[in-house]
Amino acid sequence: MARRGLTEAEVTAVAEALEQVIHVRAGRVVAQSAISRVGQGDRVYLLRVGIDLWPDGPEVVTTYLTSRVVKYSKGVQ
């Protein structure tokens, strides 16, 4: 998160809200949400959070911000 300039609050909000969820494989999902960032104009980004679902609770595997909102939102319900 630090390397990509993301705060724990941003990642936690996406992981807990589960606005859009993509099932990657058994036990892994990608939660994503559109956000705008202060100081970066009016541009909208997609914050994607890879989450492993374990019996003892979820674990964030990776997270990143992308400007390719349309590409990653296609087919998401």
Side-chain angles (χ1 to χ4, degrees):
M1 291 184 303
R3 186 179 71 198
R4 294 184 170 136
L6 300 170
T7 66
E8 187 173 342
E10 289 173 316
V11 173
T12 302
V14 171
E16 289 177 348
L18 298 176
E19 185 177 304
Q20 295 178 324
V21 178
I22 301 162
H23 295 273
V24 178
R25 60 173 168 76
R28 177 165 294 174
V29 297
V30 173
Q32 60 187 25
S33 182
I35 65 169
S36 59
R37 304 211 55 204
V38 176
Q40 295 183 358
D42 294 333
R43 196 165 184 182
V44 175
Y45 295 91
L46 194 63
L47 179 56
R48 295 175 49 96
V49 181
I51 304 169
D52 276 350
L53 305 174
W54 299 103
D56 57 340
E59 177 183 15
V60 173
V61 177
T62 189
T63 184
Y64 60 94
L65 201 60
T66 181
S67 60
R68 301 185 73 182
V69 177
V70 174
K71 174 185 176 181
Y72 289 108
S73 294
K74 275 189 176 177
V76 176
Q77 313 237 334

